Amino acid sequence: MTAAPISLRQRTAQLAHVTGRTVPARILPTLATFILFLVLFGAGSARFEGFASGQVVANLFIDNAFLIVLAVGMTFVILTGGIDLSVGAVVALSTMVTAALLQAGWSAPVVVLLVLAMGSTFGLLMGLVIHYFEIQPFIVTLAGMFLARGLCFVVGVESVPIKDPSFRDLATAAIPLPGGVSITWSVIMALVVVAVGAWVLHRTRFGRTAYAIGGSESSAMLMGLSVAKVKVGVYVVSGLCSAIAGLLFSLYMLSGYGLHAVGMELDAIAAVVIGGTLLAGGVGYVAGSVLGVMVLGVIQTLISFQGTLSSWWTKIAIGTLLLMFIVMQRIIVRRQP
């Protein structure tokens, strides 16, 4: 016998009860992530000379623009209580298709449109299978991950360099900001995706339905919401974001390769969970996921400044933080009135 599902409003009320209503409960996990980011950045600033600079902050966005986009798409999926393990493989497939088509002489705008259509279609097919065949998202997207990764090596087994002038110009162009800080166009594109994602989630019927499905799918159906359309739609959004992330990763690496973005799906999930989105669905923000990416980025930067630690310490730190946030979520949910 399973427990009756609870609505988003009930869950929010439970969180508010736990926190004594001093802070709106729904933003508490995101606030905790923001404080964690400030603590880590403050520790780095106190420990290392030159850490507290505008360019270091800008580099967090430059080096993680693709992961920010990926986290936005993953936020949509997790808010409905789903998961998408295929995003890293779709990123790799997008880089491979982009590089191969550009090498074959296709124009850059056509390649971009094809890659975006490919990612969206991939997400659509997985969403249809998940909803209409009632198969667990974990299984379907795991199959999608293997399929996309395998297709990479159908395109080619070697790394394919990108020599298209428009891509290289876009990849190397710097946008100057006040204070001697500069960013890349990838950062602008990622921030546009974040703004659009936040608007869709909070200002459209599609976004509100995604929250409702995560709170209680059966209640959402009883209210007459478009559950099927939105459940499939969030995987289309995730696939589209994966394709955009793949294009940004192509700009970052200037190559396509089947072994690009190995494990990136786990980084995206970790960023979303650390950013305060409940794995059970119904609670979370795009802004929190961006903060989650920033926390992962600042950990990597701390290890780079330290200089003697292996990059694997990044994984250890991320694993520890992820476990802490999941336990925190579980404690909050269990402390119900």
Side-chain angles (χ1 to χ4, degrees), residues 53-65 181-183 252 301:
S53 71
Q55 192 57 53
V56 169
V57 176
N59 288 343
L60 290 177
F61 286 91
I62 293 171
D63 295 335
N64 295 286
V181 177
S182 63
I183 58 174
Y252 189 73
T301 305

Side-chain angles (χ1 to χ4, degrees), residues 6 9 14-15 34 64-67 81 104 150 155 253 260-261 278 307 312 318 325:
I6 59 175
R9 179 169 296 182
Q14 291 160 2
L15 295 175
F34 180 61
N64 295 286
F66 44 87
L67 187 55
V155 178
M253 301 296 291
H260 277 335
L278 292 185
W312 285 108
I318 293 171
F325 273 79

Side-chain angles (χ1 to χ4, degrees), residues 200-253:
V200 171
L201 269 182
H202 302 297
R203 297 293 182 185
T204 68
R205 186 179 180 86
F206 181 91
R208 291 190 289 271
T209 303
Y211 278 103
I213 292 173
S216 172
E217 184 175 339
S218 57
S219 297
M221 293 181 69
L222 290 173
M223 288 189 291
L225 299 177
S226 304
V227 173
K229 186 186 297 182
V230 174
K231 279 191 71 177
V232 175
V234 294
Y235 288 94
V236 176
V237 171
S238 182
L240 176 62
C241 286
S242 301
I244 297 173
L247 291 169
L248 297 183
F249 200 70
S250 300
L251 291 172
Y252 189 73
M253 301 296 291

Side-chain angles (χ1 to χ4, degrees), residues 8 14 25 44 50 74 80 83 112 147 192 203 231 245 260 293 324:
L8 172 61
Q14 291 160 2
M74 189 66 76
T80 62
I83 199 78
V112 169
L147 176 62
V192 169
R203 297 293 182 185
K231 279 191 71 177
H260 277 335
V293 173
M324 288 171 56

Side-chain angles (χ1 to χ4, degrees), residues 167-214:
F167 256 69
R168 298 190 77 87
D169 290 344
L170 194 61
T172 55
I175 303 173
L177 298 178
V181 177
S182 63
I183 58 174
T184 62
W185 283 105
S186 294
V187 176
I188 300 297
M189 295 177 205
L191 293 179
V192 169
V193 172
V194 169
V196 172
W199 179 78
V200 171
L201 269 182
H202 302 297
R203 297 293 182 185
T204 68
R205 186 179 180 86
F206 181 91
R208 291 190 289 271
T209 303
Y211 278 103
I213 292 173

Side-chain angles (χ1 to χ4, degrees), residues 14 58 91 111 118 129 139 152 175 233 248 280 287 334:
Q14 291 160 2
V91 167
V111 171
M118 179 193 70
V129 172
I139 300 299
C152 292
I175 303 173
L248 297 183
R334 281 186 173 178

